[in-house]
Amino acid sequence: MKRPLAVLCVIALASLLVEKTAISAPPESSSIQFRDITQRAGIHFVHNNGAFGKKYLPETMGPGVAFIDYDNEGWPDIFLVNGMDWPGHEQKQSTPKLYHNNHDGTFTDVTRKAGLDVEMYGLGVAVGDYDNDGYDDLFVTAYGQNRLFHNNGNGTFTDVTQKAGLQGPKEFSTSAAWMDYDKDGHLDLVVANYVQWTPETDLYCTLDGKSKSYCTPESYKGTAVRLWHNRGNGTFEDVTQKAGLGDATSKTLGVAVLDYDNDGWPDLLFSNDTQPNKLYRNNRNGTFSEKAVVAGVAFSEDGVARAGMGVDAADYDHSGYASVLITNFSNQMVSLYHNEGKGLFVDEAPRSEIGRASLLTLGFGCFFFDYDLDGWQDVLIANGHVDDDIQKVQANVSYAERVHLFRNVGEGKFEEVTKSMDAAFAAPRVGRGAAYADINNDGKLDLLLSTNGGPVYLFRNEAQGAAAANRSLRIKLIGTKSNRDGIGGVVKLTAGGDTQTEMLRSGSSYLSASELVLTFGLGQRDKADSIEIRWPSGQFDRLSAVPAGATLTLTEGKGITSRHEFTKPR
């Protein structure tokens, strides 16, 4: 995480631009609020980053959060990653947490019952059904040993790290994602790694010349990501070098799976911290070719490698191509790389309110999602600095920062609406992980945000007035020839002449995992004229005249196998 230069003119300009762009929400979004229901929902969690005064680098990173319907009840449950105390400084035991959705707006802590009360210095999480048994599993990244927890289908999980062949590499791992890169019907695993750091090699860095601060990643050597190929028998093999992903200069924090050239094969985008971002094109033969520089996503407009944190990809302008969002350090602004459709991206952030409003903030978790169900992908960014004393050297940069919520108003434009939201939602916090899901099956997307060394926050999406009339269709994929989750499947929904395209993806954001269900906003339309699904296997399914207001389960080659109407808000 690169520290910005304390150049007064840059900070002054950033302050003026942020103040100028802090406009109120458009009328259409004023009746939508994200209500803090954390305590009411029964979620009581405080992240332990292990900090005890030594300013160890991993302390600034976590935690990730995830939604996982681990019991297949159709209601998303919550998994929270946790750290632990450093050896020799133990004060309390801390483990990850699994909260079961009670279907009534509350959750119950089932961590011990599920067998997940395992201490580790956890950082991130990825959700996917790696063995195609119909139950989603958990992969938890960590400083040290990453862990794979197999979902036994009876409410419990088993640590199968060693059995799966994942035991051994002890790295500083961050984000992760499941993907079927070779389209053999089995989910493979890509794991981001940060830098080569240990307590023994920790360096002394300072912001003010008096006290120790967290070092930047520039102080340490980088390391390669890791790609694990699923053999289809419950075990994995390390194919990083064979696949062409062994670049040891990377310092990766975010992973996004996308098909940026629309060739039907999943590509990989890595957001790197103080190193160029990497875009790996799938060669369709088990290998990848790095294209970030020629594609225009490696650097900023002025050719500088920024401090990339979180990442996501989506077709936010209905062009049919996935564009890219990357969060960066303060004084660097967010990157919004628009996909021009010919293997080339152009950063629209400097000309967008997304860029101007994010000049001073330090972004981590981020994603595209349609929070107002108008059919256009909006943007959420979780912010928070890494140095609790940053204001001693930069008065205009805060440790705790408010989130950014940008409403997509069409024609490639966004407007920040954070200040029109509930005060609890807009309150400053030291944000890190972020994920979304429909926790109460009402067709609207709710939010889960984590803070470093602090609590998590669960926000329910509440719409009133005209906004409450907007409708949606939610789609859950079940693969048969493809992987069971349908990860990598592309769904095109057309309604009233507008076509939305979404790929079901694991990963993205920062250290976190959103639900494995696609949500399409329809505005006030009462149906989708057509739905087309391109499965990873190559199977193509099509539906016509599908009524809104439900979650559809689409099974490969069979069409709609179940339809569950949305519940009415309580």
Side-chain angles (χ1 to χ4, degrees):
M1 287 153 289
K2 189 172 182 178
R3 305 202 197 290
L5 294 174
V7 181
L8 295 178
C9 61
V10 172
I11 296 174
L13 175 60
S15 301
L16 287 172
L17 286 171
V18 169
E19 182 178 356
K20 179 180 179 181
T21 58
I23 61 176
S24 59
E28 292 86 347
S29 66
S30 60
S31 55
I32 297 177
Q33 294 293 329
F34 284 101
R35 301 290 185 192
D36 183 353
I37 62 167
T38 315
Q39 296 301 313
R40 191 188 327 164
I43 296 175
H44 308 287
F45 173 87
V46 176
H47 172 238
N48 178 20
N49 60 18
F52 64 101
K54 285 285 190 178
K55 302 274 186 174
Y56 285 166
L57 186 58
E59 296 167 2
T60 67
M61 310 301 292
V65 297
F67 286 106
I68 173 175
D69 182 10
Y70 75 94
D71 51 4
N72 285 355
E73 292 182 343
W75 296 74
D77 310 297
I78 289 173
F79 180 78
L80 306 174
V81 182
N82 208 353
M84 62 181 291
D85 293 333
W86 294 103
H89 300 275
E90 295 90 345
Q91 295 182 353
K92 59 182 179 181
Q93 185 182 40
S94 54
T95 71
K97 293 291 183 182
L98 179 65
Y99 285 92
H100 176 259
N101 190 327
N102 298 325
H103 310 181
D104 61 0
T106 68
F107 292 76
T108 298
D109 184 347
V110 294
T111 311
R112 184 177 296 275
K113 179 181 176 182
L116 291 171
D117 53 336
V118 180
E119 252 199 326
M120 69 187 94
Y121 201 98
L123 290 168
V125 56
V127 174
D129 182 4
Y130 76 90
D131 57 352
N132 290 335
D133 67 352
Y135 291 89
D136 282 331
D137 310 295
L138 286 165
F139 181 77
V140 181
T141 65
Y143 171 73
Q145 179 64 62
N146 299 327
R147 307 287 187 98
L148 177 61
F149 295 98
H150 177 259
N151 187 336
N152 300 318
N154 59 2
T156 68
F157 290 79
T158 300
D159 186 342
V160 295
T161 310
Q162 185 171 0
K163 180 180 177 181
L166 298 172
Q167 186 87 25
K170 293 186 177 180
E171 297 169 308
F172 190 163
S173 298
T174 52
S175 296
W178 295 99
M179 65 180 297
D180 185 4
Y181 76 92
D182 55 357
K183 303 211 295 184
D184 64 355
H186 301 283
L187 288 178
D188 311 298
L189 181 64
V190 58
V191 183
N193 290 311
Y194 193 34
V195 295
Q196 298 179 39
W197 176 93
T198 66
E200 294 73 28
T201 59
D202 183 65
L203 300 174
Y204 181 89
C205 299
T206 180
L207 264 182
D208 57 11
K210 300 176 182 178
S211 54
K212 188 176 191 246
S213 299
Y214 293 107
C215 290
T216 78
E218 293 167 309
S219 305
Y220 301 99
K221 292 182 179 179
T223 186
V225 302
R226 200 173 286 272
L227 179 63
W228 295 96
H229 176 254
N230 189 335
R231 294 190 178 103
N233 61 0
T235 68
F236 295 81
E237 59 178 326
D238 185 349
V239 295
T240 310
Q241 298 299 326
K242 184 165 62 174
L245 299 178
D247 178 4
T249 66
S250 294
K251 300 176 182 181
T252 307
L253 290 178
V255 179
V257 181
L258 73 164
D259 181 5
Y260 79 96
D261 52 2
N262 283 359
D263 67 350
W265 291 75
D267 310 304
L268 284 166
L269 177 66
F270 299 113
S271 55
N272 284 320
D273 192 353
T274 71
Q275 290 293 313
N277 301 317
K278 303 289 181 168
L279 176 63
Y280 286 95
R281 183 180 183 273
N282 193 324
N283 296 326
R284 314 182 204 180
N285 60 3
T287 69
F288 293 81
S289 296
E290 212 287 296
K291 302 291 185 180
V293 173
V294 296
V297 298
F299 304 100
S300 66
E301 273 194 330
D302 51 359
V304 175
R306 288 183 278 197
M309 311 294 179
V311 61
D312 196 18
D315 176 15
Y316 71 83
D317 62 347
H318 296 186
S319 66
Y321 289 90
S323 296
V324 171
L325 179 76
I326 298 178
T327 55
N328 298 305
F329 211 88
S330 50
N331 287 336
Q332 293 185 342
M333 79 169 53
V334 167
S335 305
L336 181 63
Y337 293 108
H338 180 262
N339 192 332
E340 300 293 301
K342 297 180 180 179
L344 178 66
F345 293 79
V346 174
D347 190 358
E348 296 289 341
R351 292 167 291 282
S352 164
E353 186 162 330
I354 285 183
R356 295 190 296 268
S358 62
L359 271 170
L360 290 180
T361 49
L362 198 171
F364 280 93
C366 65
F367 46 74
F368 293 97
F369 75 136
D370 186 1
Y371 81 91
D372 55 1
L373 304 181
D374 65 353
W376 296 87
Q377 296 283 310
D378 311 299
V379 169
L380 185 284
I381 299 171
N383 298 305
H385 213 277
V386 296
D387 291 303
D388 56 8
D389 55 356
I390 185 62
Q391 284 195 305
K392 291 181 180 179
V393 293
Q394 292 194 50
N396 291 324
V397 177
S398 302
Y399 180 50
E401 301 173 339
R402 63 182 177 86
V403 300
H404 289 308
L405 180 62
F406 295 99
R407 181 171 179 265
N408 188 334
V409 295
E411 298 181 348
K413 297 180 180 179
F414 294 85
E415 293 184 355
E416 184 169 17
V417 297
T418 311
K419 288 188 176 180
S420 73
M421 294 290 138
D422 183 80
F425 176 76
R429 54 181 60 90
V430 187
R432 292 295 185 267
Y436 61 81
D438 179 6
I439 63 169
N440 53 355
N441 281 336
D442 66 353
K444 300 188 297 293
L445 293 175
D446 310 295
L447 299 174
L448 183 63
L449 307 177
S450 73
T451 62
N452 182 260
V456 297
Y457 296 88
L458 181 63
F459 293 97
R460 186 175 62 205
N461 186 331
E462 298 180 357
Q464 298 176 349
N470 283 356
R471 312 194 70 189
S472 66
L473 264 173
R474 287 167 46 77
I475 295 175
K476 177 178 174 59
L477 300 178
I478 295 183
T480 53
K481 292 179 289 185
S482 303
N483 68 85
R484 172 81 181 196
D485 280 329
I487 289 174
V490 177
V491 178
K492 289 186 178 181
L493 182 148
T494 299
D498 287 332
T499 298
Q500 304 175 51
T501 305
E502 292 191 38
M503 174 192 279
L504 183 65
R505 298 172 299 117
S506 167
S508 283
S509 189
Y510 172 78
L511 307 179
S512 300
S514 294
E515 64 175 352
L516 292 175
V517 179
L518 299 175
T519 297
F520 291 89
L522 297 178
Q524 298 190 19
R525 301 183 180 99
D526 60 2
K527 68 177 180 179
D529 299 323
S530 67
I531 298 175
E532 300 176 350
I533 308 99
R534 185 182 71 192
W535 295 88
S537 68
Q539 169 80 26
F540 182 85
D541 294 334
R542 190 178 192 278
L543 308 169
S544 299
V546 182
T551 298
L552 309 178
T553 298
L554 304 184
T555 301
E556 186 175 10
K558 298 179 181 179
I560 301 174
T561 50
S562 72
R563 177 184 171 97
H564 295 283
E565 302 297 321
F566 296 148
T567 59
K568 293 182 179 180
R570 293 175 179 269

